[in-house]
Amino acid sequence: MAGELNRRTFVKAAGIAGLAGLSGDVLAQQQRLTWFAGGTGGTYFPLSNQFKQVVEQNTDFTLQVQSTGASVENVGGLAQGQADFALIQNDIAFFAYNGTGIEEFQGNAVESLRGVATLYPETIHVVTLAGSGIETLEDLEGATINTGDLGSGTQVNALQILESAGIEQGDFTEQNTGFSQAADQLRNGDIDAAFLVGGWPVGAIEELATTNDIALVEISGDARESIKGEAQWFADDAIPSGTYSGVDEEVQTIAVQAMIATTEDAEADTVQAVTEAIFSNLDQISIKQQFIGRDSALDGMSIPLHPGAREVFGPATTSPANETENNETAGGTTTPG
């Protein structure tokens, strides 16, 4: 499967469409930037479009927001110069920068990758339909499971979690699509469960819950401790009761951290202007606003901070595994979220 990801995702070329409807005079005054987001059924895409509005209203830049397969593909877009900014998970950023963790990055470190800001917890959702008989992670053995888009951070997390629960890839049937398609598969009975990673509430799950009785599988107890012991970037999280129709009790789970990334080639003035525009106008952001702020923008920063972002936030703290490099470029240490 990892080889399949490598072929189809990490080196995947993403076409960049031009912006239409702008006059020559406006284009002469504005610089277009490309921003890789994620699938339209998740959180990355609508949040990126809110960032687009803020940046375009407060700077001379225009943003082209592109729907993608999310984290791993987005790293590839940054590495290949197809994207100026991208949303990725902090664990995928750590893997990419250090050339470790998953096969896509083994011996293929993206050392040009730089952090801009961390944003909010990306909650692991394991979704099934009520009455499916799937109540624990162990019940997923033998099931047909959508683990997310090929090469996405969702798929990486899903396979890590299943393996930690003792379920190898040969122990279940894997399907790979984006969030919206996964919800359709559940609705149609084509799969037994789906992993979705995103800040709650995830739109695709909200929509599914309006047409079907859903259930969320807990990640708790010994299983959660085992997962966190094997992957330090996971943190405890919970989905509040009432987040989704019909789910009336809090669901224990885990989370990673969403972040904005760029590369060392990005101009410091550009990164500073885009970052300042976003964090000075958070009152214009409605998605995940309660989690996004200057005081938490370096929490879980797992790669070196871009100098332009450092002008906005000050020096970053980073993971112990990155200590030497990051002390030279950003200063300090912590553990990714």
Side-chain angles (χ1 to χ4, degrees), residues 268-337:
D269 288 349
T270 298
V271 175
Q272 182 178 355
V274 169
T275 307
E276 186 65 51
I278 291 171
F279 282 84
S280 293
N281 294 280
L282 291 175
D283 59 334
Q284 299 179 40
I285 303 297
S286 62
I287 299 173
K288 313 312 294 182
Q289 185 204 41
Q290 70 270 38
F291 297 107
I292 303 172
R294 289 178 184 267
D295 58 346
S296 60
L298 303 183
D299 291 352
M301 179 59 67
S302 56
I303 57 175
L305 191 69
H306 192 283
R310 192 180 306 125
E311 289 298 317
V312 178
F313 303 122
T317 53
T318 58
S319 72
N322 234 2
E323 182 173 356
T324 301
E325 173 70 18
N326 294 345
N327 279 345
E328 293 174 357
T329 60
T333 63
T334 191
T335 301

Side-chain angles (χ1 to χ4, degrees), residues 63-252:
L63 292 189
Q64 180 198 0
V65 174
Q66 185 162 319
S67 175
T68 70
S71 292
V72 177
E73 182 178 337
N74 289 358
V75 170
L78 289 169
Q80 296 167 34
Q82 296 170 341
D84 299 293
F85 294 90
L87 293 187
I88 59 178
Q89 294 173 194
N90 65 339
D91 57 328
I92 301 301
F94 179 88
F95 291 152
Y97 180 80
N98 289 283
T100 187
I102 55 177
E103 186 172 329
E104 288 72 31
F105 306 125
Q106 295 283 358
N108 195 23
V110 185
E111 295 180 353
S112 63
L113 196 62
R114 294 292 182 269
V116 176
T118 55
L119 299 172
Y120 62 89
E122 290 205 83
T123 305
I124 310 295
H125 295 70
V126 186
V127 189
T128 187
L129 297 184
S132 68
I134 297 173
E135 299 179 356
T136 68
L137 291 177
E138 289 75 16
D139 293 333
L140 292 170
E141 185 170 358
T144 299
I145 308 169
N146 190 315
T147 60
D149 267 325
L150 281 171
S152 66
T154 298
Q155 189 196 28
V156 172
N157 292 153
L159 297 180
Q160 290 169 338
I161 291 166
L162 289 168
E163 184 176 355
S164 294
I167 302 174
E168 304 292 336
Q169 284 188 266
D171 297 334
F172 65 96
T173 300
E174 185 174 15
Q175 295 285 315
N176 299 106
T177 69
F179 290 175
S180 296
Q181 295 93 329
D184 287 339
Q185 287 181 320
L186 280 168
R187 185 180 291 110
N188 297 332
D190 296 328
I191 59 173
D192 300 304
F195 280 78
L196 295 91
V197 181
W200 47 261
V202 174
I205 304 176
E206 283 187 302
E207 183 178 350
L208 176 65
T210 66
T211 60
N212 296 78
D213 294 332
I214 69 167
L216 299 177
V217 181
E218 279 207 343
I219 302 176
S220 59
D222 291 342
R224 178 157 71 176
E225 294 309 310
S226 175
I227 293 166
K228 292 192 300 177
E230 295 181 16
Q232 63 177 353
W233 43 86
F234 286 124
D236 291 348
D237 200 4
I239 302 168
S241 62
T243 299
Y244 301 106
S245 177
V247 181
D248 299 326
E249 295 183 0
E250 181 179 82
V251 178
Q252 295 299 309

Side-chain angles (χ1 to χ4, degrees), residues 10-85:
F10 180 60
V11 296
K12 177 180 177 182
I16 300 178
L19 292 174
L22 293 178
S23 71
D25 289 342
V26 171
L27 286 173
Q29 297 173 15
Q30 295 180 313
Q31 180 179 343
R32 288 179 291 184
L33 301 171
T34 300
W35 184 294
F36 275 21
T40 56
T43 304
Y44 281 8
F45 189 76
L47 177 59
S48 295
N49 276 290
Q50 290 196 349
F51 288 160
K52 167 185 170 71
Q53 293 178 3
V54 166
V55 169
E56 292 182 350
Q57 290 169 2
N58 293 278
T59 73
D60 291 329
F61 297 104
T62 62
L63 292 189
Q64 180 198 0
V65 174
Q66 185 162 319
S67 175
T68 70
S71 292
V72 177
E73 182 178 337
N74 289 358
V75 170
L78 289 169
Q80 296 167 34
Q82 296 170 341
D84 299 293
F85 294 90

